Amino acid sequence: MRKGILNLNEIKEKILSIKGKDVDISINRGRKKIDNYLGVIENIYPSVFTVKILNDEQLKNVTCSYSDVLCGDVKIVEK
């Protein structure tokens, strides 16, 4: 069965709805490199959004674009 395809506006609305909530984020960096983080969607901009990574060792932010989510390079699951 084919999964439903979202457009960029629907992706922006979904990310806006989970802003400030805990999420699991998986980023495909290429060449079998996948980074998994636990974080909070912090800021939303017209073409990108930032995720604040919740890690005991250090605090850092990751920036992702909506097109990365559309292509499947970034996967977000709400906790």
Side-chain angles (χ1 to χ4, degrees):
M1 179 185 224
R2 186 175 159 186
K3 70 176 187 176
I5 298 174
L6 300 175
N7 62 25
L8 283 177
N9 290 330
E10 292 170 342
I11 291 171
K12 287 180 184 181
E13 290 173 9
K14 286 191 178 279
I15 291 174
L16 182 61
S17 70
I18 59 174
K19 180 181 177 187
K21 297 180 182 176
D22 290 342
V23 294
D24 282 330
I25 186 166
S26 177
I27 302 172
N28 184 353
R29 303 270 185 204
R31 295 199 175 221
K32 299 181 184 178
K33 296 176 190 168
I34 298 175
D35 296 333
N36 295 311
Y37 301 110
L38 176 64
V40 176
I41 295 179
E42 192 171 43
N43 294 316
I44 296 177
Y45 300 104
S47 59
V48 296
F49 60 95
T50 60
V51 180
K52 184 176 188 178
I53 303 302
L54 303 174
N55 191 353
D56 295 337
E57 299 164 1
Q58 61 184 4
L59 292 176
K60 68 177 186 177
N61 289 336
V62 175
T63 304
C64 303
S65 69
Y66 301 112
S67 61
D68 290 339
V69 177
L70 180 67
C71 294
D73 290 338
V74 174
K75 295 179 183 175
I76 300 172
V77 177
E78 184 180 357
K79 289 295 269 188

